[in-house]
Amino acid sequence: MENGVIIGEFFLRWLHYIFGIMWIGHLYYFNFSQTPFMAEADAATKSGVQQKLFPRTLFWFRWGAMFTFLTGWFLIFHKMFALQIPIESEWSVKILTGGIIGTLMFLNVWLIIWPNQKVVIENATQVAQGKPAIAGVADLAARAAIASRTNTLYSLPMLFFMGAASRLPLAINPEKSVSTYWVAFSILVGAIQWNAMKGKMGVMAKIGQTVHFGILLSFALYGLMWFLLR
Ligand code: HEM
């Protein structure tokens, strides 16, 4: 590989890590610290946080997600097309597992969490000005919370496969079809994503259980690769 390409890819990765930390750092702050704080805060404190802190944290959170997503897919396309890594290679199976879960997380941020939280911020501002509350705001906040917990759950397998792509060998059998794995992946992750969009908080109500579920999902997906592709 040419020196310029190596240096270019290195700087892209550096940006990818920085934006990834900015995004997932805020995600963990929301789920580990802010949610329990808000549950016991009095009404005035809660309103102040929603009006003054939410716009700031959600700004870095959603733009961190955007640039992690863009740098991540750029890295994937660079490796697959410029370096000609085939889609059925073990690297592709692992990085696409992490990248697709990361993409679902990105979509949950931009299509559920941010639009719904924007209404929560507007509602807090209006109520503080003595105007009536926005109808349905509690349901929007609850859906954002389920999507945010789902992203915390997803973050474990997402980072597992991000790190595993080049560093945890799998040695898949070239005779086996990778599509069997992708069908199993779609059913499992599709069910979790459907729940994020339409379902309930369920076991994710407790943060500890969310982390355990995330560890289980990481091993379940790696186990599927192991049994279906080796
Ligand atoms: C849309 C989501 C994402 C996509 C498409 C994506 C894609 C990628 C790609 C292609 C690589 C290079 C892997 C390799 O060369 O083997 C990578 C590496 C990495 N990504 Fe992501 N990524 C995403 C989200 C994230 C997030 C949210 C984080 C959180 C911090 C993250 C952290 C990392 C780390 C630490 C590496 C280095 C792995 C290594 O060098 O072994 N990524 N990512």
Side-chain angles (χ1 to χ4, degrees):
M1 229 198 310
E2 232 183 276
N3 268 352
V5 176
I6 295 176
I7 293 169
E9 195 193 299
F10 171 76
F11 279 100
L12 196 63
R13 278 169 172 271
W14 184 44
L15 289 174
H16 185 65
Y17 306 152
I18 292 169
F19 291 124
I21 292 169
M22 189 184 277
W23 174 16
I24 306 301
H26 277 91
L27 176 73
Y28 286 173
Y29 157 74
F30 291 141
N31 280 272
F32 288 92
S33 309
Q34 185 180 280
T35 300
F37 167 78
M38 291 293 263
E40 60 183 46
D42 57 70
T45 309
K46 231 168 143 169
S47 168
V49 169
Q50 286 168 343
Q51 289 181 72
K52 302 281 179 211
L53 188 61
F54 276 24
R56 291 183 166 90
T57 47
L58 286 163
F59 174 87
W60 297 108
F61 173 70
R62 70 181 186 279
W63 289 107
M66 173 65 80
F67 287 102
T68 311
F69 167 79
L70 292 175
T71 49
W73 278 104
F74 206 89
L75 280 166
I76 291 186
F77 286 126
H78 166 71
K79 281 201 134 177
M80 280 191 173
F81 294 107
L83 309 182
Q84 302 208 322
I85 297 183
I87 194 135
E88 62 281 353
S89 68
E90 73 161 276
W91 180 82
S92 301
V93 171
K94 286 180 286 183
I95 199 63
L96 288 176
T97 295
I100 290 168
I101 295 175
T103 300
L104 291 173
M105 294 172 64
F106 160 79
L107 294 173
N108 287 339
V109 168
W110 278 91
L111 301 180
I112 303 176
I113 301 170
W114 170 234
N116 290 15
Q117 292 290 55
K118 215 160 42 168
V119 181
V120 171
I121 297 168
E122 275 165 29
N123 178 68
T125 313
Q126 286 197 17
V127 172
Q129 291 166 350
K131 294 183 192 152
I134 298 174
V137 71
D139 289 344
L140 292 177
R143 178 57 52 204
I146 295 171
S148 182
R149 268 297 146 94
T150 306
N151 275 9
T152 307
L153 156 69
Y154 279 157
S155 71
L156 286 120
M158 184 275 294
L159 269 175
F160 180 102
F161 289 101
M162 202 73 39
S166 297
R167 297 168 210 282
L168 186 65
L170 186 68
I172 64 177
N173 180 346
E175 314 244 300
K176 301 243 173 117
S177 157
V178 291
S179 48
T180 50
Y181 166 76
W182 288 117
V183 170
F185 171 89
S186 305
I187 294 169
L188 191 57
V189 176
I192 297 170
Q193 183 56 30
W194 181 88
N195 184 70
M197 288 153 45
K198 303 274 171 213
K200 298 201 168 79
M201 193 61 109
V203 291
M204 296 181 296
K206 292 210 169 105
I207 189 71
Q209 287 177 356
T210 308
V211 171
H212 290 148
F213 192 9
I215 295 170
L216 196 70
L217 183 61
S218 310
F219 291 147
L221 289 171
Y222 192 73
L224 277 175
M225 287 178 188
W226 188 275
F227 288 111
L228 295 174
L229 301 179
R230 275 168 51 95

